[in-house]
Amino acid sequence: MSKKKVCRVDEVPVGGLKEVEVEGGLKVVVANAGEGFYACQAICPHQEVPLCEGLFDGQVLTCHMHLWQWDIRSGAPQGLAEAPLTTYDITVEDGVIYLIPPSALDSSELFKGLPQETLAKLQALCRPETHPEGSTLYRVGDAAEDLYILESGRVEFLIGRDDRTTPAGFVLRRGEVFGWAALMDGQPVRIAKATCLEESAVLRINGKEVLKALESDPAAGYLVMRRLAELITRYLTASGAK
Ligand code: FES
């Protein structure tokens, strides 16, 4: 994925913070630590407070509202902070800072904000695939071994058997996760049908391998399972309302 221009290095003084909206709409805060530049999410993970208004000592970023703190290099929480900060890879070329867009895994609703070490393990499990328009990724009743994260394109997701679903399903967006039955124990089967409405790129991950990777980080595993429960509830509630 191509890098995106953030700003010039001389726009962020040493020890300074600057909020920038990158092409595509992602807002980030750039920090100048003296020995290098770092980028992180623009809004505090606690409440809707801009982090560019916080304090930065060259290593630790502090939100001025309730004093949550993070190591700017890793986003790891410190002191009172109860959640990590999402950080972004950047590169500097000819005095310009560029952001290297995160993979769909990093920004996915299920896995975003997990510690870098855990994300790296999950990233290593991802198999990128591209499917043509009209292809069906799976049908109701198929064995569910893999889950998918949408990288680009559009996928329609229909819950229920073909004869019990309405024509309008859910059209998934980038970063959305589907095929989550693969994270269930036992012999999971698909309860939905997923079809590409246009050529679509996905990351495909084996569900059992995801669960194994999360066993080594129980806090991340707990967060993923909580998000999964919310996700399933949301889809089932919405499909019941149709
Ligand atoms: S809003 Fe940032 S710490 Fe509470």
Side-chain angles (χ1 to χ4, degrees):
M1 206 165 288
S2 60
K3 59 187 194 263
K4 295 179 189 298
K5 182 180 175 184
V6 179
C7 62
R8 294 194 53 79
V9 293
D10 53 19
E11 292 177 58
V12 195
V14 175
L17 299 168
K18 180 181 173 68
E19 181 179 305
V20 181
E21 183 169 336
V22 182
E23 178 202 331
L26 177 70
K27 284 187 181 171
V28 299
V29 163
V30 181
N32 184 347
E35 36 70 36
F37 292 86
Y38 298 88
C40 66
Q41 66 188 76
I43 300 296
C44 181
H46 185 207
Q47 291 174 4
E48 289 284 309
V49 173
L51 288 172
C52 61
E53 296 172 3
L55 310 166
F56 180 51
D57 68 1
Q59 179 172 353
V60 175
L61 172 61
T62 304
C63 174
H64 67 89
M65 192 58 74
H66 306 103
L67 307 181
W68 282 22
Q69 295 182 309
W70 305 269
D71 186 323
I72 194 69
R73 292 168 183 78
S74 63
Q78 303 202 337
L80 302 173
E82 294 174 13
L85 208 55
T86 301
T87 56
Y88 300 100
D89 291 334
I90 55 171
T91 180
V92 177
E93 291 171 23
D94 298 329
V96 177
I97 300 170
Y98 294 93
L99 182 127
I100 300 165
S103 85
L105 176 84
D106 299 19
S107 54
S108 74
E109 53 191 333
L110 217 48
F111 303 115
K112 70 181 170 195
L114 298 190
Q116 286 302 327
E117 198 182 327
T118 304
L119 280 175
K121 280 186 195 165
L122 295 171
Q123 189 72 55
L125 300 174
C126 290
R127 288 132 49 208
E129 291 181 353
T130 302
H131 296 271
E133 178 184 343
S135 51
T136 296
L137 299 175
Y138 55 77
R139 292 184 166 77
V140 175
D142 287 352
E145 292 175 356
D146 299 328
L147 71 147
Y148 298 78
I149 302 170
L150 185 62
E151 284 233 276
S152 65
R154 285 188 308 143
V155 170
E156 186 182 47
F157 182 68
L158 280 168
I159 293 182
R161 309 203 78 85
D162 285 352
D163 57 357
R164 285 201 280 116
T165 50
T166 60
F170 303 96
V171 178
L172 304 178
R173 299 186 311 266
R174 182 176 194 275
E176 286 199 88
V177 177
F178 57 104
W180 20 258
L183 292 177
M184 303 299 166
D185 273 339
Q187 290 185 316
V189 293
R190 301 296 184 196
I191 60 163
K193 177 182 177 187
T195 307
C196 299
L197 297 179
E198 59 188 56
E199 182 177 281
S200 301
V202 297
L203 295 176
R204 187 168 175 167
I205 326 177
N206 181 271
K208 284 198 171 63
E209 289 180 8
V210 170
L211 293 175
K212 213 158 116 193
L214 292 175
E215 274 173 17
S216 59
D217 186 348
Y222 172 71
L223 188 60
V224 170
M225 289 303 135
R226 234 177 59 185
R227 289 173 175 171
L228 179 63
E230 285 167 12
L231 193 69
I232 294 172
T233 305
R234 194 171 80 222
Y235 279 117
L236 292 180
T237 305
S239 66
K242 280 177 187 260

